[in-house]
Amino acid sequence: MHKKKEYTRSDLARIATIVMEEKGLEPHFSKEVHEQLEAINSPAEDSDPLTQDLTDLLWCSLDNDDSKDLDQLTVCSNAGNGSYKIYIAIADVDALIKKDTPIDDHAQHNTASIYTSARIFPMLPEKLSTNLTSLNFNESRLALVTEIVVGSKGEILGSTIYRAKVRNKAKLTYDAVSAWIEGKGAMSAAMAAVPGMDWQIKIQDEIAQRLRMKRQRAGSLQLEIFQPKAVFEGDRVIGIAEQEHNRGRQLIEEFMIATNGSTARFLVKKGIPSLRRVVRSPDRWIRIVELAKQYGEALPNEANSKALSEFLAKRHLADPLRFPDLSLVVIKIMGPGEYVLEQPGTTPIGHFGLAVLDYMHSTAPNRRYPDLITLRMLKNAINNEPNAYETQELYALAVHCTTQEDAIRKVERRMRKSEAALFLEPYIGKDFNGVITGLTPNYGWVRIFNPPAEGMLLKMSKDTSIGNKIRVKLTSTDVEMGHINFMPTY
């Protein structure tokens, strides 16, 4: 009898490589990239007297437990009258990686690091992204610092950007910081080792919540996306987990949104075109109005993020179980984010989902190419040098980055399916509780709760509708294709 293949982490990495190539992404670094890399053996240095030395400040990084590509550090100080000054340091990747070099060409082609559970495909070689251009613990690094004054109600009172040298005093993680902030866990050793770091995190959290409340009042959409991730023990998948959106993540999210707005306004003031990150006001708003009607809610006939935000908050409270599915429907109607070139003096398109007008990606140059483009433009603007990019070049890059982002999203989604298929293989024949998330004339989609996974429903009764709870039996899985099939149990 033919023995069924046992899949492992390395199989998932192999499948990810194939899927990347199918989507026009490059999983391997070229010979030219390796040659350029061999010549880079130390972090960038800078003797410019205008580069400030901020290595004494209590900088910390805050990221996932397993993150090694550290793009940003944060610190804050009291500015009086209920205001605080936040400083956000962004790794100066451009100091080592110049435009139109082989490493830059690879980064420009893929446009971002691709994260799958089995393997990360970094935009920049790891010698850089997790070492020489990363804001690593206890290492001095060059950075671009955005200094922002935040008022007592979360309003941004002013900002400035300059070059500086920084030093990470504490490598902190989202989950441990969140547990401590919420009183559910002890202070981490990394935080306890630095006198004053507890005050820093407490105040940074307070500032972040002010910024968050201000955006919520303006109509920021609080959406919940279903993105489970495989958990490994060595080479074996031992579970599937969903990432919690907690206070630590909110802290960084709010500081990054504030930074991205400040960098966008800085370039406008300098009269420089900018590569904006936009989510347009929905053309298909009427479909969102119809969606709300199904829940007995009335939305205005014109696109209104505040009204939509209030509707979503109400639904989250009423039915948290199905909220990720409602979020997905809203995201699909709104359409994905995109990169566009905006000229100074024109009305900004803005980011409908975040309820902000001025927004760009500028905070992750180790892992996202638009941020590296913006970093170069900011540095040239600070030095009053000609723009690093021609206007036509920026138009083309905006389209390219949007296209590649779509490809990356497809790779990551496809790999989540293969990971879930692998974990669920031993459970064929078992029953699960779930909810129907999609319907076509011939089949449906079901999301099971434990473990969190989604698959195809091969048969349905006539009265089946989206949102119905259902009991299903797992009938088959296909790791190579990322297929998971269920049948209802009546």
Side-chain angles (χ1 to χ4, degrees), residues 279-290 300-304 308 330-336 338 349 352:
V279 171
R280 296 172 190 276
S281 182
D283 291 337
R284 298 178 292 177
W285 174 257
I286 210 70
R287 283 181 58 189
I288 295 178
V289 173
E290 286 162 6
N301 289 327
E302 295 292 315
N304 184 314
L308 177 56
V330 170
I331 288 164
K332 281 180 176 173
I333 294 172
M334 287 200 317
E338 59 186 293
I349 296 166
F352 185 83

Side-chain angles (χ1 to χ4, degrees), residues 300-444:
N301 289 327
E302 295 292 315
N304 184 314
S305 66
K306 194 160 172 37
L308 177 56
S309 174
E310 285 164 4
F311 162 67
L312 288 168
K314 207 183 272 190
R315 290 312 309 158
H316 187 267
L317 206 60
D319 193 355
L321 187 70
R322 295 176 181 84
F323 189 70
D325 309 312
L326 175 63
S327 294
L328 187 61
V329 173
V330 170
I331 288 164
K332 281 180 176 173
I333 294 172
M334 287 200 317
E338 59 186 293
Y339 294 101
V340 300
L341 184 67
E342 288 195 356
Q343 298 285 357
T346 58
T347 306
I349 296 166
H351 195 297
F352 185 83
L354 296 174
V356 291
L357 263 188
D358 298 303
Y359 192 70
M360 66 197 312
H361 276 166
S362 64
T363 57
N366 270 309
R367 38 184 146 173
R368 209 165 44 195
Y369 197 69
D371 307 56
L372 183 50
I373 292 170
T374 297
L375 174 69
R376 289 175 176 144
M377 292 170 74
L378 288 167
K379 281 173 68 176
N380 282 27
I382 289 164
N383 296 336
N384 294 312
E385 292 168 359
N387 201 354
Y389 292 85
E390 299 289 332
T391 301
Q392 283 311 113
E393 193 180 5
L394 286 169
Y395 273 118
L397 282 166
V399 172
H400 173 69
C401 289
T402 302
T403 303
Q404 295 300 74
E405 183 183 53
D406 183 53
I408 290 167
R409 206 166 30 237
K410 284 173 178 163
V411 170
E412 292 178 344
R413 190 165 62 227
R414 170 53 213 288
M415 289 315 298
R416 280 197 297 274
K417 289 177 180 177
S418 284
E419 291 156 12
L422 172 53
F423 178 69
L424 284 168
E425 261 191 343
Y427 299 95
I428 290 171
K430 294 272 193 306
D431 292 354
F432 297 91
N433 291 320
V435 61
I436 294 184
T437 58
L439 290 173
T440 75
N442 301 319
Y443 58 85

Side-chain angles (χ1 to χ4, degrees), residues 18 26 104 172 180 219 229 262 300 338 363 366 404 423 462:
I18 294 164
E26 180 49 73
D104 184 63
L172 307 178
W180 177 74
K229 194 179 168 195
S262 299
E338 59 186 293
T363 57
N366 270 309
Q404 295 300 74
F423 178 69
K462 288 191 169 56

Side-chain angles (χ1 to χ4, degrees), residues 5 35 56 60 82 90 112 117 127 155 162 189 205 217 225 231 264 283 287 312 338 380 395 409 424 433 457:
K5 176 176 168 53
E35 284 168 1
D56 284 346
C60 69
I90 304 300
S117 294
K127 180 180 174 182
E155 70 279 29
Y162 49 86
D205 169 63
R217 287 193 296 273
I225 303 163
V231 180
D283 291 337
R287 283 181 58 189
L312 288 168
E338 59 186 293
N380 282 27
Y395 273 118
R409 206 166 30 237
L424 284 168
N433 291 320
L457 189 60

